[in-house]
């Protein structure tokens, strides 16, 4: 079959909503785009463990401690499912992680912001996992089979993440004035970074067009961001929290909420490594990798020894 | 208080679980590989779950109307009765796994025996926890063997962890009049039998791992009486931070 | 650079008695024992299974995508293998 024929077949499958599977022919650029996007997503899950993980030892009661442990553990699982999906495309987990450590590969910028108070944990669950879910639900129908299947599994697990965050904030918002203020402070710090999670505006986004055509992405960054704002406003109202945007208001004509322009300079600065915690996050992941090196070597050496014994 | 001795006994079990669970929680996000990160968190979650059940029972026995969180979070350092072993720092992966292995090898036969206790709630907690603990012991044993019989470096690290932690292991079998009293009433097992069982497990696994048991049997004790190592204060500073900084609030 | 990477394993889980093991994903593990334990922690945290199989990914043999036509299309035309191919009068029971 000629390259052109294969390409036509591939596009035909995409048109007819037939999933692309690992051994199917695919354009090289499709493969590279997927590896880039899925690994970036995987890195986000793993780096995302750090800000929340930093509160595990300080969780205010045993139930919250267990919930937080289970939640952060899930994120490790998500990272693992996603790395596995990249490996069906011929990528290698360790290599991908090295690319993140070197700064070549990115992860979601939100995790470069610090988790300073206990209210941040609830807020991350509500807003950050909430924004992630908005993205992930859309990706359950992505054109690449293993990615879509990983997303379905992840979405099932994610549903408790947002709820536990919201429930935790509910406690604060119905608690003492001090607790309520803590929640509002977290909201003030996380609102804009949460909106930035959807990435650059459609006008600026370099990869969007092709990804939409290939049905890797099903909605644009701005569409998802708008859905998130629309969904979140009433949730904030129920908590009694104020969204830190004086221009936020319902637009009857559009049927959506209007909101202020994002501070794109901050966005790009954080992407480029100048967020409050970029260095710490990478340093923590690199440390885990390096300190795990001898452990992984030991297990390999043991497996080899046992295999030799068996065959001897 | 109806039964001071039983209360103290359950509290000791609960504190062991809590402090070890707390320590393992520090690994979350920092494990040597994702798969093992998840495994360590699972053990931590089991231990926190056990602690909750045990504190519930303790608070029932105390009858002072405290919930499990008040017991877990609002005591002073010398009121925590966990053994020194569980409060020792995570160190490297070898230190964490060996600490866990020594503990699991003790907890498994203890829970097995406690399943027969006439204290129904304690027997029920033991019956649930014994399954979790059997898995923990299997997993940590696998790793002790892989580290011991892996590379030179892993062997050295595992042996160093054993040499360091050995001093804390005898306290697992510490007995005082609380134990004696409860044993006389046939509510709990003697730790002598548990110790023999523990030694058997340790010998078998270390020997398969080509690791050796230290000859110096000098003991470090005090945890069971509330005399801890310097590490304990820092553990509690983290653990209790929210409850101390924001007293009487619900989270 | 990737000298310490563990081999890849495919994980199959029986979700309940009476059902087949089903492929759920993959993971990395140094050997079969730890692959099973890792699979338990990674893929059955929410009571998803009662039995696990692991197979090293390198040991899986798959049909070639280029052979798909010759492998699978010939059976498409053999519709007489399906019960719906046959007509049975309305009154006939238990068939
Ligand atoms: Fe996430
Ligand atoms: Fe996630
Ligand atoms: Fe999540």
């Amino acid at each position: 079959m000629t390259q052109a024929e294969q390409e036509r077949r591939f596009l035909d499958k995409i048109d007819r909503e037939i999933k692309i599977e690992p051994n199917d022919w695919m354009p090289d650029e499709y493969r590279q785009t997927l590896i880039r996007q899925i690994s970036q997503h995987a890195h986000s899950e793993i780096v995302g463990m750090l800000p929340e993980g930093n509160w595990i030892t300080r969780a205010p009661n045993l139930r919250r401690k267990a919930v937080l442990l289970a939640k952060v553990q899930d994120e490790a699982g998500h990272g693992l499912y996603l790395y596995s999906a990249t490996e069906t495309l011929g990528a290698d987990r360790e290599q991908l992680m090295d690319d993140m450590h070197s700064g070549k590969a990115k992860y979601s910028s939100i995790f470069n912001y610090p988790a300073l108070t206990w209210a941040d944990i609830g807020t991350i669950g509500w807003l950050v996992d909430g924004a992630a879910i908005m993205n992930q639900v859309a990706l359950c129908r992505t054109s690449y089979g293993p990615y879509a299947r990983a997303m379905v599994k992840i979405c099932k697990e994610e549903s408790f993440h947002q709820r536990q965050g919201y429930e935790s904030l509910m406690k604060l918002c119905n608690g003492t004035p001090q607790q309520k203020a803590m929640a509002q402070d977290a909201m003030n710090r996380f609102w804009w970074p949460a909106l930035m999670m959807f990435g650059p505006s459609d006008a600026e986004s370099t990869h969007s067009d092709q990804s939409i055509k290939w049905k890797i992405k099903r909605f644009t960054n701005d569409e998802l961001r708008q859905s998130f704002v629309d969904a979140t406003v009433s949730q904030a109202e129920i908590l009694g929290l104020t969204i830190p945007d004086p221009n936020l208001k319902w637009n009857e004509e559009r049927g959506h909420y209007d909101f202020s322009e994002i501070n794109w300079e901050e966005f790009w600065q954080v992407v480029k490594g100048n967020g409050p915690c970029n260095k710490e996050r990478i340093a923590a992941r690199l440390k885990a990798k390096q300190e795990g090196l001898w452990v992984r070597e030991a297990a390999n050496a043991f497996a080899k020894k046992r295999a030799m014994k068996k065959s001897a | 208080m109806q039964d001071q001795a039983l209360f103290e006994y359950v509290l000791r079990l609960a504190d062991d679980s809590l402090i070890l669970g707390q320590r393992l929680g520090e690994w979350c996000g920092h494990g040597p590989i994702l798969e093992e990160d998840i495994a360590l968190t699972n053990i931590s979650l089991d231990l926190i779950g056990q602690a909750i059940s045990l504190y519930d029972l303790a608070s029932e026995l105390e009858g002072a109307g405290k919930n499990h969180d008040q017991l877990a979070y609002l005591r002073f350092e010398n009121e925590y009765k966990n053994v020194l072993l569980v409060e020792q720092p995570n160190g490297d992966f070898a230190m964490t796994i060996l600490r866990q292995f020594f503990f699991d090898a003790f907890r498994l036969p203890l829970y097995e025996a406690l399943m027969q206790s006439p204290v129904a709630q304690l027997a029920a907690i033991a019956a649930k926890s014994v399954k979790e603990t059997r898995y923990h012991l299997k997993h940590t044993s696998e790793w002790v063997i892989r580290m011991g019989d892996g590379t030179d470096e892993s062997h050295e690290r595992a042996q160093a962890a054993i040499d360091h932690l050995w001093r804390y292991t005898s306290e697992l079998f510490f007995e005082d009049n609380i134990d004696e009293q409860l044993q006389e009433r046939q509510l709990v097992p003697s730790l002598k039998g548990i110790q023999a069982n523990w030694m058997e497990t340790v010998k078998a696994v270390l020997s398969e791992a080509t690791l050796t048991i230290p000859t110096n049997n000098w003991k470090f004790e005090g945890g069971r009486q509330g005399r801890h190592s310097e590490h304990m204060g820092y553990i509690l500073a983290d653990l209790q931070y929210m409850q101390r900084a924001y007293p009487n609030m619900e989270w | 650079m990737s000298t310490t990477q563990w081999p890849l394993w495919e994980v199959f889980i029986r979700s309940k008695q009476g059902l087949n093991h089903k492929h759920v994903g993959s993971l990395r593990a140094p050997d079969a024992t730890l692959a099973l334990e890792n699979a338990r922690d990674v893929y059955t945290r929410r009571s998803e299974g009662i039995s696990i199989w692991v197979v090293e990914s390198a040991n899986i043999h798959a049909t070639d995508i280029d052979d798909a036509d010759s492998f699978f299309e010939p059976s498409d035309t053999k519709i007489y293998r399906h019960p719906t191919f046959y007509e049975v009068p309305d009154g006939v029971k238990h068939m």
Side-chain angles (χ1 to χ4, degrees), chain A residues 210-225:
Chain A
Q210 186 59 272
S211 288
I212 297 260
K213 210 178 96 200
W214 280 335
K215 295 186 185 167
I216 294 175
K217 287 178 79 164
R218 314 286 311 215
F219 299 96
T220 70
N221 294 352
D222 285 337
E223 284 167 351
L224 289 166
R225 187 164 18 241

Side-chain angles (χ1 to χ4, degrees), chain B residues 6-231:
Chain B
L6 191 56
F7 167 71
E8 281 280 338
Y9 185 89
V10 173
L11 207 55
R12 288 173 177 183
L13 291 174
D15 288 345
D16 281 354
S17 295
L18 173 65
I19 301 301
L20 190 53
Q22 172 85 356
R23 273 296 192 213
L24 286 177
E26 295 171 21
W27 270 105
C28 190
H30 307 275
I33 185 163
L34 281 178
E35 284 80 351
E36 199 54 35
D37 202 304
I38 294 172
L40 288 174
T41 306
N42 256 4
I43 300 179
S44 176
L45 275 168
D46 285 342
L47 289 167
I48 300 292
Q50 292 174 17
I52 291 175
S53 308
L54 289 161
Y55 284 128
D56 279 338
L57 174 55
S59 76
E60 204 183 310
L61 290 163
E62 189 185 31
K66 288 185 197 162
N67 62 31
H68 55 239
D69 289 321
Q70 287 164 313
L71 278 176
Y73 283 77
L74 294 175
R75 282 175 293 148
F76 293 104
E77 181 172 332
N78 61 7
E79 293 169 319
Y80 285 83
K81 301 297 168 61
N82 54 281
V83 289
L84 300 181
L85 177 72
V86 297
E87 69 197 46
Q88 296 313 301
N90 286 341
D92 62 6
F93 185 70
M95 193 70 79
T96 292
I97 290 292
L98 262 304
R99 182 185 65 196
Q100 190 66 37
F101 167 70
F102 286 141
F103 183 77
D104 296 337
F106 153 72
R107 261 296 169 89
L108 180 62
L110 180 61
Y111 276 141
E112 280 169 347
L114 284 173
M115 283 167 67
Q116 316 301 323
S117 170
V119 184
Q121 298 115 303
L122 189 53
I125 295 171
K128 175 176 173 283
S129 308
V130 81
K131 294 176 199 156
E132 297 169 348
T133 310
R134 194 169 288 132
Y135 183 82
H136 302 169
L137 179 60
K138 175 170 165 33
H139 190 69
T140 50
S141 301
E142 300 288 1
W143 268 111
V144 171
I145 293 165
R146 276 158 187 74
M147 290 188 293
D149 199 13
T151 61
D152 289 347
E153 180 180 4
S154 67
H155 181 91
E156 265 166 45
R157 285 176 183 266
Q159 189 62 55
I162 294 167
D163 294 348
H164 175 70
L165 294 172
W166 192 250
R167 69 197 65 179
Y168 301 109
T169 55
S170 66
E171 195 191 4
L172 292 167
F173 312 101
F174 172 91
E175 290 182 317
D176 61 8
N177 55 358
I178 290 168
D179 300 84
E180 280 156 27
Q181 204 199 109
L182 296 173
Q183 286 171 24
E184 231 157 78
R185 291 159 60 199
Q186 302 197 325
L187 301 184
V188 305
S190 156
L191 292 182
K192 305 272 179 317
I194 306 290
Q195 185 164 20
N197 190 312
W198 178 85
M199 195 47 124
E200 223 173 278
T201 308
V202 168
K203 273 186 181 159
V205 172
L206 293 198
S207 126
E208 190 175 349
T210 71
L211 294 162
T212 50
I213 294 178
T215 47
N216 187 346
N217 285 315
W218 182 250
K219 300 172 181 184
F220 281 45
E221 290 181 346
R224 286 283 185 248
Q225 293 139 304
R227 259 187 356 266
H228 292 278
S229 56
E230 284 184 347
H231 308 296

Side-chain angles (χ1 to χ4, degrees), chain A residues 41 44-45 48 52 71 75 78 111 128-129 132-133 136 154 158 161 197:
Chain A
H41 191 163
S44 302
E45 300 282 355
E52 288 185 283
K71 194 253 182 198
E75 308 298 6
H78 299 171
F111 303 116
V128 176
D129 286 76
I133 291 168
Q136 290 165 350
I154 287 173
E158 281 292 347
H161 296 182
M197 285 175 70

Side-chain angles (χ1 to χ4, degrees), chain A residues 7-24:
Chain A
E7 181 130 22
R8 196 190 44 73
R9 268 193 160 198
F10 168 83
L11 287 174
D12 179 58
K13 274 192 208 157
I14 301 265
D15 272 353
R16 292 190 295 137
E17 299 285 332
I18 294 174
K19 296 273 182 255
I20 307 300
E21 293 296 342
N23 293 326
D24 294 357

